[in-house]
Amino acid sequence: MKDPRETAIRYLTMLSLIPPAPGKIAITTLQAKLADRGFEINLRSLQRDLTDNLSAHFSLICDDSQRPYRWSFSENAFLNLPSMDTPSALAYFLAEEQLRSLLPQSVADQLKPQFNSAKKFLANLTENGLADWTKKVRAIPNGKALFPAAINGEVWRNTTEALLQGKQLNVIYASRETGKKRAFQLHPAGLVTRYSVSYLVARMEGFDDLRHYALHRIHQAEVLDDQKAQIDGYHRLNTLTCAFINSITLAFPNRNNRYNNSLIEDLIHQPIARAS
């Protein structure tokens, strides 16, 4: 027995694909568009749905003067349907995890209802191949996976807002080597995510070069609303990654205690994830 929720979602998808008059859609085209969205249905059943089920409740018009039949809404019909469909829901579901460390917090907050709607939409589909796609794909990291370094929520929000608005930041930052905290002023240029760590690429007040600052080592971040970030002379898209790579000191295993301490510090902030 078919799940009534899936039937209802298919009906909504069908209605969203039918144009208002004078536009028309051939029933064969409607069938193909439904198949693209993961709903397989034969022409006879589709015609029966339109004629017997949907036409009784919606202002649908069937042009049977030619084959295949063509369908449209009456010219004065008003129908406000949800924009979520199976491909959109699948894209939102898969994108959420990848975009989490790249979107400004204000944008992520605005998208949260769509992300949640996508999860609920897919959960209600039991016989749709696209909805089952999330169980068939995985992104595998190169090597042993590490848990993302924990970032203070307020730090993330203020950092992304400063970057979005082109403002300066006052931060309290903990040194990687000593753990000592100190305050300074930054001119944000961009964000770089490398494996499970997110870095702010910025120019420190009083210096000309871009440097990278691990967000999990920023303990406080305050947006300076009245002070614009000064990043003149840098082309962000071309220099962000280069500036980040050039600022990294590569560490190689040796007997140096400083290296060992750095490795231990990395594993404290990014513990090795268990295999799932």
Side-chain angles (χ1 to χ4, degrees):
M1 183 176 180
K2 284 191 175 292
D3 189 334
R5 294 174 300 180
E6 184 155 354
T7 301
I9 292 172
R10 177 163 55 82
Y11 283 169
L12 287 172
T13 305
M14 289 165 59
L15 292 170
S16 70
L17 293 170
I18 298 174
K24 299 174 184 177
I25 185 170
I27 191 168
T28 50
T29 304
L30 182 58
Q31 181 192 34
K33 287 182 177 292
L34 286 171
D36 288 342
R37 288 157 174 77
F39 298 103
E40 298 290 342
I41 184 172
N42 60 57
L43 284 176
R44 186 173 180 179
S45 297
L46 180 55
Q47 183 66 36
R48 185 170 59 246
D49 280 345
L50 290 166
T51 305
D52 299 341
N53 299 328
L54 295 178
S55 291
H57 303 284
F58 299 96
S59 303
L60 293 176
I61 302 170
C62 178
D63 178 5
D64 57 4
S65 63
Q66 55 183 319
R67 300 254 183 184
Y69 291 169
R70 285 160 168 75
W71 287 84
S72 62
F73 276 103
S74 65
E75 199 166 348
N76 297 322
F78 175 77
L79 189 63
N80 186 15
L81 293 172
S83 59
M84 186 70 71
D85 58 14
T86 313
S88 300
L90 181 61
Y92 272 116
F93 184 92
L94 295 176
E96 181 181 13
E97 187 66 29
Q98 300 300 320
L99 295 177
R100 186 172 293 154
S101 61
L102 297 175
L103 288 176
Q105 188 59 47
S106 57
V107 176
D109 290 343
Q110 292 177 45
L111 288 176
K112 191 172 182 179
Q114 284 94 318
F115 288 142
N116 291 338
S117 295
K119 292 174 185 175
K120 291 177 183 178
F121 186 96
L122 294 174
N124 285 333
L125 298 178
T126 57
E127 299 179 15
N128 187 303
L130 285 179
D132 204 37
W133 185 255
T134 58
K135 303 173 185 175
K136 300 177 180 179
V137 294
R138 287 291 183 273
I140 305 298
N142 182 19
K144 188 65 178 175
L146 301 176
F147 284 116
I151 301 170
N152 179 288
E154 194 67 20
V155 166
W156 173 255
R157 178 180 294 277
N158 289 342
T159 300
T160 54
E161 283 306 302
L163 184 58
L164 187 65
Q165 297 171 20
K167 304 293 185 181
Q168 295 182 35
L169 269 178
N170 267 342
V171 302
I172 295 178
Y173 191 80
S175 165
R176 174 182 176 133
E177 284 78 20
T178 66
K180 291 182 179 178
K181 299 175 186 176
R182 66 188 183 106
F184 46 81
Q185 197 165 316
L186 293 176
H187 299 254
L191 285 172
V192 175
T193 298
R194 182 174 182 264
Y195 303 123
S196 53
V197 181
S198 293
Y199 298 88
L200 173 65
V201 178
R203 180 177 68 82
M204 185 188 291
E205 180 67 23
F207 295 85
D208 294 328
D209 58 325
L210 289 175
R211 304 180 185 185
H212 71 282
Y213 302 89
L215 289 183
H216 63 273
R217 288 198 284 274
I218 299 178
H219 289 259
Q220 289 183 31
E222 177 191 1
V223 181
L224 302 178
D225 292 319
D226 57 342
Q227 297 192 46
K228 214 174 172 183
Q230 303 296 324
I231 311 291
D232 295 340
Y234 293 103
H235 190 290
R236 296 181 191 223
L237 290 178
N238 289 336
T239 63
L240 269 180
T241 305
C242 291
F244 173 77
I245 293 174
N246 291 338
S247 66
I248 293 176
T249 301
L250 295 178
F252 296 93
N254 54 39
R255 296 180 181 179
N256 190 310
N257 287 333
R258 181 175 174 180
Y259 168 79
N260 293 332
N261 290 338
S262 294
L263 178 60
I264 292 170
E265 198 267 350
D266 281 345
L267 290 175
I268 289 173
H269 288 289
Q270 303 163 252
I272 296 174
R274 294 180 180 178
S276 56

